[in-house]
Amino acid sequence: MLHPLFTPEHEELRTAVRQFVESELAPHAMEWEREGAFPDWVFKRMGDLGFLGVRFPPEYGGQGGDWGHSIVIGEETARSGSGGVGMAIAVQSEMATPPIFKFGTEDQKERYLAPSIRGEKIACLGISEPNAGSDVAGIETTSRRTSGGWAINGRKIFITNGVRADFCLLVTRSDRAAGHEGFSLFLVDTDLPGFEVSRKLDKLGMRSSDTAELVLDDVNVPADALLGEEGRGFIEIMWELQGERLIGVAGSVAGAWLVFEKTLQYAKERHAFGRPIGSFQVNRHKFATMATELEAARQFVYDTALAWERGEYPVKQISMAKLYGGLVVNRVMNECLQIFGGMGYATETGIERAWRDSRLIRIGGGTDEIMREVISKSLGVW
Ligand SMILES: Cc1cc2nc3c(=O)[nH]c(=O)nc-3n(C[C@H](O)[C@H](O)[C@H](O)COP(=O)(O)OP(=O)(O)OC[C@H]3O[C@@H](n4cnc5c(N)ncnc54)[C@H](O)[C@@H]3O)c2cc1C
């Protein structure tokens, strides 16, 4: 039975995305992992196929869909077997571009949103800084008015797509004295003088996605680079983070399901002490627990997406779904690697890659601890 988030039309999209991912992306998982980035053509190809703007209206090249379509893309890109691909695509179409659609001018939508949906421009999102990650209000990158626009100074770190992006949606402080009302967002072209990729970070997982540290040294942007309202950037980026968390956990849970299924199959075929290893009660019970928890996490994600689709702004549920989903995904990956034994530790099965990739869900876009902060505040304890 389909969850009410989905219709048969969503399932048609699922079939098309799955076909594309399995035939054109999955065969390269190992190679892109080694190379430290998947090639740029993936953005263009997915743009051509209409997979980068499923929730945006047709006038900008999108498909006019809903959260169900976005969840389908998030889940199916997990089949690439490379968490970095799904993450980079989600940054492009579910993190850096929704604020342009929601807060941008028509001109900004023409110049940044439409080409991103076509896969012609690559987008990145610059929130985190060397001295401020969880504490977004602690960022130090400044924007200062000049005669012709704004001058931006600061550093950003952990920026997905940052090495190759054409533009960055940047969070800045435009008025330190104004507290939370002193933040402003900008759309910054990465070829402007003073904009530099200072390094590409090496990392545990998500290795097929590039992660940059950026330096902005007096980057002069025109007045129309301001996205949304001056001073409203904090509230605007908090809105963005909700979608980021929802789509992030949807992809992670889908990735864990795939590893679960692969492990289940392995446990039926692999023998020890004259029996399939899956028949040992300890492993049977592990599978039962994992399936139960994964199903609960998946349904939680779907219910939350449906609530948003129906007009709620479900911040508490999103935080809970990300917290719970992340914990379940990490437990499942750990158990699956254990059940695979040495072959789980060996690169060739892809299990160790999935295990490494999956660790990020409990950190990126807001850590477990920050999710608990949001949830506990909603319960009236802080
Ligand atoms: C691969 C990767 C890709 C990323 N992509 C992007 C991107 O595209 N754009 C972007 O802007 N950012 C990106 N990030 C950054 C990511 O969102 C941050 O790493 C995350 O928000 C945590 O911030 P931090 O790393 O600075 O940790 P910190 O904020 O330094 O936290 C360190 C530890 O302290 C804990 N802690 C902090 N505050 C509290 C508290 N109040 N109570 C209890 N514990 C607390 C945290 O939970 C954590 O365990 C990415 C990160 C990675 C690793």
Side-chain angles (χ1 to χ4, degrees):
M1 194 180 71
L2 278 183
H3 186 278
L5 180 63
F6 304 114
T7 64
E9 190 258 17
H10 290 92
E11 296 312 297
E12 279 173 31
L13 175 69
R14 190 182 291 286
T15 306
V17 183
R18 186 172 297 185
Q19 216 163 26
F20 158 73
V21 170
E22 288 183 347
S23 62
E24 297 185 40
L25 303 185
H28 302 288
M30 202 86 93
E31 167 196 340
W32 294 345
E33 173 88 356
R34 267 197 307 270
E35 286 171 3
F38 65 86
D40 291 358
W41 65 253
V42 174
F43 289 100
K44 183 68 178 64
R45 178 82 176 118
M46 288 189 72
D48 288 346
L49 291 167
F51 296 160
L52 293 183
V54 288
R55 231 159 23 93
F56 296 116
E59 60 259 42
Y60 306 111
Q63 272 60 47
D66 55 24
W67 267 113
H69 295 92
S70 291
I71 298 284
V72 165
I73 299 282
E75 290 184 331
E76 294 304 317
T77 46
R79 287 184 180 265
S80 69
S82 176
V85 174
M87 177 172 75
I89 294 302
V91 166
Q92 173 87 358
S93 41
E94 297 292 342
M95 301 178 197
T97 45
I100 307 175
F101 175 61
K102 191 164 169 76
F103 307 116
T105 61
E106 279 310 309
D107 178 58
Q108 288 170 331
K109 290 176 193 174
E110 278 310 313
R111 285 192 293 134
Y112 293 100
L113 177 61
S116 301
I117 291 172
R118 291 195 296 269
E120 290 166 5
K121 276 194 173 173
I122 299 175
C124 70
L125 171 67
I127 308 175
S128 307
E129 297 186 358
N131 293 324
S134 302
D135 182 11
V136 176
I139 66 164
E140 295 165 350
T141 295
T142 58
S143 49
R144 169 178 50 82
R145 276 190 186 278
T146 60
S147 54
W150 297 81
I152 301 178
N153 283 281
R155 299 175 89 86
K156 295 287 173 184
I157 198 164
F158 301 127
I159 308 306
T160 302
N161 297 344
V163 174
R164 53 175 148 188
D166 295 293
F167 72 93
C168 184
L169 193 172
L170 205 72
V171 185
T172 71
R173 245 178 205 283
S174 47
D175 182 355
R176 182 168 282 278
H180 283 83
E181 278 76 51
F183 292 82
S184 299
L185 308 183
F186 287 89
L187 292 169
V188 181
D189 292 322
T190 56
D191 60 359
L192 287 175
F195 193 112
E196 196 199 326
V197 178
S198 52
R199 65 184 166 125
K200 179 181 173 188
L201 274 86
D202 197 5
K203 53 196 192 296
L204 173 75
M206 302 296 200
R207 294 178 70 87
S208 66
S209 132
D210 62 283
T211 308
E213 181 172 25
L214 307 174
V215 174
L216 294 101
D217 182 11
D218 244 352
V219 177
N220 280 283
V221 297
D224 65 3
L226 176 72
L227 177 69
E229 227 178 290
E230 180 183 346
R232 297 267 305 166
F234 189 79
I235 294 154
E236 290 164 351
I237 211 62
M238 284 301 134
W239 172 83
E240 181 283 324
L241 280 170
Q242 304 312 316
E244 173 169 346
R245 290 167 185 168
L246 183 59
I247 215 70
V249 71
S252 283
V253 170
W257 266 119
L258 293 170
V259 168
F260 170 87
E261 282 156 14
K262 207 166 165 177
T263 310
L264 189 61
Q265 190 58 36
Y266 183 77
K268 289 176 184 170
E269 291 162 4
R270 173 78 178 170
H271 282 66
F273 300 96
R275 294 164 59 181
I277 57 168
S279 72
F280 296 124
Q281 190 185 47
V282 65
N283 285 339
R284 282 192 285 120
H285 286 192
K286 276 182 188 176
F287 282 118
T289 303
M290 289 192 285
T292 305
E293 291 191 332
L294 276 176
E295 191 57 41
R298 176 158 64 184
Q299 296 298 324
F300 200 170
V301 168
Y302 290 172
D303 285 353
T304 306
L306 187 62
W308 203 344
E309 192 54 48
R310 289 183 174 167
E312 289 176 42
Y313 183 44
V315 174
K316 181 172 78 174
Q317 291 98 309
I318 290 169
S319 312
M320 288 174 161
K322 182 174 186 289
L323 173 65
Y324 180 71
L327 291 167
V328 167
V329 163
N330 274 223
R331 272 202 293 272
V332 167
M333 292 293 188
N334 244 342
E335 291 295 12
C336 287
L337 195 147
Q338 188 66 23
I339 293 169
F340 252 92
M343 270 303 173
Y345 204 78
T347 307
E348 65 194 67
T349 54
I351 299 296
E352 60 84 35
R353 184 171 65 241
W355 180 81
R356 286 185 289 104
D357 289 350
S358 74
R359 190 61 182 84
L360 183 64
I361 186 63
R362 297 181 53 200
I363 298 171
T367 63
D368 284 4
E369 291 72 28
I370 295 306
M371 295 307 100
R372 290 190 177 101
E373 284 292 289
V374 176
I375 297 161
S376 59
K377 273 184 192 151
S378 79
L379 298 173
V381 279
W382 67 89

